[in-house]
Coordinates of all heavy atoms in Angstrom, one line a residue:
R1 N 0.8 -1.2 0.0 CA 0.0 0.0 0.0 C 0.9 1.3 0.0 O 0.5 2.3 -0.6 CB -0.9 0.0 1.2 CG -2.3 -0.8 1.0 CD -2.0 -2.2 0.7 NE -3.2 -2.9 0.3 CZ -3.2 -4.2 0.0 NH1 -2.1 -4.9 0.0 NH2 -4.3 -4.8 -0.4
K2 N 2.0 1.2 0.6 CA 2.9 2.3 0.6 C 3.5 2.5 -0.8 O 3.6 3.6 -1.3 CB 4.1 2.1 1.6 CG 3.7 2.2 3.0 CD 4.9 2.0 4.0 CE 4.5 2.2 5.4 NZ 5.6 1.9 6.3
A3 N 3.7 1.4 -1.5 CA 4.2 1.5 -2.9 C 3.1 2.1 -3.8 O 3.4 2.7 -4.8 CB 4.6 0.1 -3.4
L4 N 1.8 1.9 -3.4 CA 0.7 2.5 -4.2 C 0.5 3.9 -3.9 O -0.4 4.6 -4.5 CB -0.5 1.6 -3.9 CG -0.5 0.2 -4.3 CD1 -1.8 -0.5 -3.9 CD2 -0.4 0.1 -5.9
G5 N 1.2 4.4 -2.9 CA 1.0 5.8 -2.5 C -0.2 6.0 -1.6 O -0.7 7.2 -1.5
L6 N -0.7 5.0 -1.0 CA -1.9 5.1 -0.1 C -1.6 5.2 1.4 O -2.4 5.5 2.2 CB -2.8 3.9 -0.3 CG -3.6 3.8 -1.7 CD1 -4.2 2.5 -1.9 CD2 -4.6 4.9 -1.8
A7 N -0.3 4.9 1.7 CA 0.1 4.8 3.1 C 1.5 5.3 3.3 O 2.2 5.4 2.3 CB -0.1 3.4 3.7
G8 N 1.9 5.7 4.5 CA 3.2 6.1 4.8 C 3.4 7.6 5.0 O 2.7 8.4 4.4
E9 N 4.2 7.9 5.9 CA 4.4 9.3 6.3 C 5.1 10.0 5.1 O 5.9 9.5 4.4 CB 5.4 9.4 7.5 CG 4.8 8.9 8.8 CD 5.7 9.0 10.0 OE1 6.7 9.7 9.8 OE2 5.4 8.5 11.0
G10 N 4.6 11.3 4.9 CA 5.1 12.1 3.7 C 4.5 11.7 2.4 O 4.9 12.3 1.4
C11 N 3.6 10.8 2.4 CA 3.0 10.4 1.1 C 1.9 11.4 0.7 O 1.0 11.7 1.5 CB 2.3 9.0 1.3 SG 1.3 8.5 -0.1
L12 N 2.1 12.0 -0.5 CA 1.2 13.1 -0.9 C -0.2 12.7 -1.0 O -1.1 13.3 -0.5 CB 1.7 13.7 -2.2 CG 0.8 14.8 -2.8 CD1 0.9 16.0 -1.9 CD2 1.3 15.2 -4.2
S13 N -0.5 11.5 -1.6 CA -1.9 11.1 -1.7 C -2.5 10.7 -0.4 O -3.8 10.8 -0.3 CB -2.0 9.9 -2.7 OG -1.3 8.8 -2.2
A14 N -1.7 10.4 0.6 CA -2.3 10.0 1.9 C -2.9 11.2 2.6 O -3.7 11.1 3.5 CB -1.2 9.4 2.8
T15 N -2.5 12.4 2.2 CA -3.1 13.6 2.7 C -4.5 13.8 2.2 O -5.3 14.6 2.7 CB -2.3 14.9 2.5 OG1 -2.2 15.1 1.0 CG2 -0.9 14.7 3.0
L16 N -4.8 13.2 1.0 CA -6.1 13.3 0.4 C -7.0 12.0 0.6 O -8.2 12.1 0.6 CB -6.0 13.5 -1.1 CG -5.2 14.8 -1.5 CD1 -5.1 14.8 -3.0 CD2 -6.0 16.0 -1.1
T17 N -6.3 10.9 0.9 CA -7.0 9.6 1.1 C -6.4 8.9 2.3 O -5.3 8.5 2.3 CB -6.9 8.7 -0.1 OG1 -7.5 9.4 -1.3 CG2 -7.6 7.4 0.1
N18 N -7.2 8.8 3.4 CA -6.7 8.1 4.6 C -7.5 6.8 4.9 O -7.6 6.4 6.0 CB -6.6 9.0 5.8 CG -8.0 9.7 6.1 OD1 -9.0 9.2 5.7 ND2 -8.0 10.7 6.8
C19 N -8.1 6.2 3.9 CA -8.8 4.9 4.0 C -8.4 4.1 2.8 O -8.4 4.5 1.7 CB -10.3 5.1 4.2 SG -11.1 6.1 2.8
Y20 N -8.2 2.8 3.1 CA -7.8 1.9 2.0 C -8.0 0.4 2.5 O -8.1 0.2 3.7 CB -6.4 2.1 1.5 CG -5.3 2.1 2.6 CD1 -4.8 0.9 3.1 CD2 -4.9 3.2 3.3 CE1 -3.8 0.8 4.1 CE2 -4.0 3.2 4.3 CZ -3.4 2.0 4.7 OH -2.5 1.9 5.7
R21 N -7.9 -0.5 1.6 CA -7.9 -1.9 2.0 C -6.5 -2.4 2.2 O -5.6 -2.3 1.3 CB -8.6 -2.8 0.9 CG -8.5 -4.3 1.2 CD -9.7 -5.0 0.7 NE -10.9 -4.6 1.3 CZ -12.1 -5.2 1.0 NH1 -12.2 -6.1 0.1 NH2 -13.2 -4.8 1.7
L22 N -6.2 -2.9 3.4 CA -4.9 -3.4 3.7 C -4.7 -4.8 3.3 O -3.7 -5.2 2.8 CB -4.6 -3.2 5.2 CG -3.3 -3.9 5.7 CD1 -2.1 -3.2 5.2 CD2 -3.3 -4.0 7.3
V23 N -5.8 -5.6 3.5 CA -5.7 -7.1 3.2 C -6.9 -7.5 2.4 O -8.0 -7.2 2.8 CB -5.6 -8.0 4.5 CG1 -5.7 -9.4 4.1 CG2 -4.4 -7.6 5.3
H24 N -6.6 -8.0 1.2 CA -7.6 -8.4 0.3 C -7.5 -9.9 0.1 O -7.2 -10.4 -1.0 CB -7.6 -7.7 -1.0 CG -8.7 -8.0 -2.0 ND1 -10.0 -7.7 -1.6 CD2 -8.8 -8.5 -3.2 CE1 -10.8 -8.1 -2.6 NE2 -10.1 -8.6 -3.6
G25 N -7.7 -10.7 1.1 CA -7.8 -12.2 1.0 C -6.6 -12.8 0.3 O -5.5 -12.5 0.6
E26 N -7.0 -13.6 -0.7 CA -6.0 -14.3 -1.5 C -5.0 -13.4 -2.2 O -3.9 -13.8 -2.4 CB -6.7 -15.2 -2.5 CG -7.4 -16.4 -1.9 CD -8.8 -16.2 -1.4 OE1 -9.2 -15.0 -1.4 OE2 -9.5 -17.1 -0.9
G27 N -5.5 -12.2 -2.5 CA -4.6 -11.2 -3.2 C -3.4 -10.8 -2.4 O -2.4 -10.3 -2.9
D28 N -3.5 -10.9 -1.1 CA -2.4 -10.6 -0.2 C -1.9 -11.8 0.6 O -1.3 -11.7 1.6 CB -2.9 -9.5 0.8 CG -3.0 -8.2 0.2 OD1 -2.0 -7.6 -0.2 OD2 -4.1 -7.7 0.0
G29 N -2.2 -13.0 0.1 CA -1.7 -14.2 0.6 C -2.3 -14.6 2.0 O -1.8 -15.4 2.7
L30 N -3.5 -14.1 2.2 CA -4.2 -14.4 3.5 C -5.7 -14.7 3.2 O -6.6 -14.0 3.5 CB -4.2 -13.2 4.4 CG -2.8 -12.9 5.0 CD1 -2.7 -11.5 5.6 CD2 -2.4 -13.9 6.0
P31 N -5.9 -15.9 2.5 CA -7.3 -16.3 2.1 C -8.2 -16.3 3.3 O -7.9 -16.9 4.4 CB -7.1 -17.6 1.5 CG -5.8 -18.1 2.0 CD -4.9 -16.9 2.2
G32 N -9.4 -15.7 3.1 CA -10.4 -15.7 4.2 C -10.3 -14.5 5.1 O -11.1 -14.4 6.0
L33 N -9.5 -13.5 4.8 CA -9.3 -12.3 5.7 C -9.4 -11.0 4.9 O -8.8 -10.9 3.8 CB -8.0 -12.3 6.4 CG -7.7 -11.2 7.3 CD1 -8.6 -11.2 8.5 CD2 -6.2 -11.2 7.8
I34 N -10.2 -10.1 5.4 CA -10.3 -8.8 4.9 C -10.0 -7.8 6.0 O -10.5 -7.9 7.1 CB -11.8 -8.4 4.4 CG1 -12.1 -9.4 3.2 CG2 -11.9 -7.0 4.0 CD1 -11.3 -9.2 1.9
V35 N -9.1 -6.8 5.7 CA -8.8 -5.8 6.7 C -8.8 -4.4 5.9 O -8.1 -4.2 5.0 CB -7.4 -5.9 7.3 CG1 -7.2 -4.8 8.4 CG2 -7.3 -7.3 8.0
D36 N -9.7 -3.5 6.4 CA -9.8 -2.2 5.9 C -9.3 -1.1 6.9 O -9.5 -1.3 8.1 CB -11.2 -1.8 5.4 CG -11.6 -2.6 4.2 OD1 -10.8 -3.0 3.4 OD2 -12.9 -2.7 4.0
W37 N -8.6 -0.1 6.4 CA -8.0 0.9 7.2 C -8.8 2.2 7.1 O -9.0 2.7 6.0 CB -6.5 1.1 6.8 CG -5.8 2.3 7.4 CD1 -5.8 3.6 6.9 CD2 -5.1 2.4 8.6 NE1 -5.1 4.4 7.7 CE2 -4.6 3.7 8.7 CE3 -4.7 1.4 9.6 CZ2 -3.8 4.1 9.8 CZ3 -3.9 1.8 10.6 CH2 -3.5 3.2 10.7
Y38 N -9.3 2.7 8.2 CA -10.0 3.9 8.2 C -9.3 4.9 9.2 O -9.7 5.0 10.4 CB -11.4 3.7 8.7 CG -12.3 2.9 7.7 CD1 -12.7 1.6 8.1 CD2 -12.7 3.4 6.5 CE1 -13.5 0.8 7.2 CE2 -13.4 2.6 5.6 CZ -13.8 1.4 6.0 OH -14.6 0.6 5.1
D39 N -8.3 5.7 8.7 CA -7.7 6.7 9.4 C -7.3 6.3 10.8 O -7.6 6.9 11.8 CB -8.5 8.0 9.5 CG -7.8 9.2 10.0 OD1 -6.5 9.2 9.9 OD2 -8.4 10.1 10.5
G40 N -6.6 5.1 10.9 CA -6.1 4.7 12.2 C -6.9 3.5 12.8 O -6.5 2.9 13.8
V41 N -8.1 3.2 12.2 CA -8.9 2.1 12.7 C -8.9 1.0 11.7 O -9.2 1.2 10.5 CB -10.3 2.5 13.0 CG1 -11.2 1.3 13.5 CG2 -10.3 3.6 14.1
C42 N -8.5 -0.2 12.1 CA -8.5 -1.4 11.2 C -9.8 -2.1 11.5 O -10.1 -2.5 12.6 CB -7.3 -2.3 11.4 SG -5.8 -1.8 10.6

């Protein structure tokens, strides 16, 4: 997500978007799990 510009200190897009999907099941090697980030809350 940091590589996508969605997370990380000093990331320009993170000042405009502070919510994103951290874990998308099989797409992140964790089948059966979803984790969404909402400005500090997972």
